[in-house]
Amino acid sequence: MSERLPTHLMVGALLRRVNDAGGMAMVRAKGDPQGGAILLLIESRSSPVRVLERTITFDGVAILAESVPPDGAEAYWRRRCSRDPDLWVVELDIPEAERFAAETILSN
């Protein structure tokens, strides 16, 4: 049995924390409930949408890696979902969104 929490629990916790703090969080694409990857779309009124992905390093450490898609965040995540049906895409609109994500989905 894996020591990692199932993806759907991590995503649910992130949604609750962001919404409870007065922000907005929503699932744009639902992936595999147990082990799907998590892609975050970080909204900002002053800059383009940032794309962060929860990845596991070779050492087994979870990190948030930023992607800079040349064709925009919307096209990027839709293309990724077409190739990876297990992918979760979560949109966050709250100040310090990266902190919320790190505290929630990297702590496991």
Side-chain angles (χ1 to χ4, degrees):
M1 183 169 189
S2 173
E3 292 181 21
R4 284 181 40 202
L5 281 175
T7 303
H8 73 96
L9 290 179
M10 287 188 282
V11 169
L14 179 59
L15 295 174
R16 279 189 299 281
R17 285 195 68 222
V18 169
N19 289 324
D20 288 349
M24 251 182 47
M26 70 175 137
V27 175
R28 301 280 304 265
K30 200 177 239 185
D32 180 66
Q34 294 301 312
I38 301 172
L39 186 98
L40 302 171
L41 304 173
I42 309 294
E43 292 286 335
S44 173
R45 287 154 186 50
S46 61
S47 62
V49 176
R50 292 177 55 216
V51 178
L52 301 174
E53 186 167 3
R54 180 182 186 270
T55 60
I56 308 295
T57 65
F58 291 115
D59 301 334
V61 177
I63 62 168
L64 289 176
E66 186 162 4
S67 297
V68 182
D71 54 350
E74 187 77 17
Y76 178 74
W77 78 260
R78 289 187 183 279
R79 187 173 58 251
R80 286 285 311 276
C81 282
S82 70
R83 289 189 220 138
D84 182 3
D86 295 337
L87 182 67
W88 286 77
V89 179
V90 180
E91 184 175 334
L92 304 177
D93 187 357
I94 189 169
E96 299 183 21
E98 191 170 346
R99 178 181 62 85
F100 277 90
E103 290 174 353
T104 307
I105 65 175
L106 295 183
S107 62
N108 182 277

